[in-house]
Amino acid sequence: MSEIEQARAERVLKERELLIAGCFRSWIDKDGAKFRECFSPGATYEESWGPAYRNLAEIARWFDEWNARNSVLQWDIGKFWHDGSACICEWHFKCECGGTTDGFDGASIVEFDGENRIAGLREFQSKTPRHYPYG
């Protein structure tokens, strides 16, 4: 790979990381317009606890309804791994839902379309604090 191709590939990966960070930040800011810009029209989004949304209209509706009664307080990204048109990122999430504050660690598998928008996002969670049954 030439230096120019290498620089372009690195730029694409950085753009993807910034897109994911912006998507997560839009939850904290309750910025629906910014959130919608992150996704392709046919995108899918699967939450860590089961609900799945099949297109941008459903994803946007969920975002608006969730943010009308809840707040994301923190969504910090730890590390990214890239592979072709997909990226995995690990993160820590904290929110206020129904007057209760809760948080957990998680990871997302994010797939991108040809225009570097999110085409698919699947979340996985790990409860905190950790429990070590053997010491």
Side-chain angles (χ1 to χ4, degrees):
M1 182 180 295
S2 73
E3 285 183 33
I4 293 172
E5 292 170 326
Q6 180 67 29
R8 182 181 180 284
E10 289 173 12
R11 188 177 70 249
V12 167
L13 298 183
K14 188 63 175 173
E15 288 172 2
R16 290 176 178 176
E17 291 177 7
L18 290 171
L19 179 71
I20 294 168
C23 179
F24 290 4
R25 182 71 205 184
S26 70
W27 283 92
I28 296 167
D29 297 339
K30 297 187 178 203
D31 186 345
K34 175 68 175 169
F35 179 77
R36 287 165 180 76
E37 290 174 4
C38 298
F39 293 88
S40 63
T44 59
Y45 196 122
E46 297 178 26
E47 291 188 78
S48 60
W49 57 281
Y53 311 96
R54 297 171 291 193
N55 55 56
L56 181 54
E58 289 184 7
I59 295 167
R61 179 178 175 184
W62 161 59
F63 178 92
D64 293 339
E65 289 177 357
W66 193 93
N67 278 292
R69 42 182 206 281
N70 306 294
S71 295
V72 174
L73 306 172
Q74 178 182 2
W75 204 344
D76 298 329
I77 298 171
K79 188 173 181 181
F80 290 96
W81 293 270
H82 297 277
D83 184 31
S85 64
C87 173
I88 299 171
C89 64
E90 62 182 11
W91 39 261
H92 178 75
F93 178 86
K94 187 175 183 181
C95 68
E96 183 180 339
C97 295
T100 302
T101 300
D102 193 15
F104 54 90
D105 292 333
S108 294
I109 300 172
V110 184
E111 297 175 273
F112 296 90
D113 68 10
E115 296 178 24
N116 257 352
R117 292 177 300 179
I118 297 171
L121 194 151
R122 295 176 62 204
E123 295 177 345
F124 300 88
Q125 73 169 296
S126 179
K127 291 291 187 185
T128 55
R130 296 292 185 271
H131 170 76
Y132 298 96
Y134 300 110

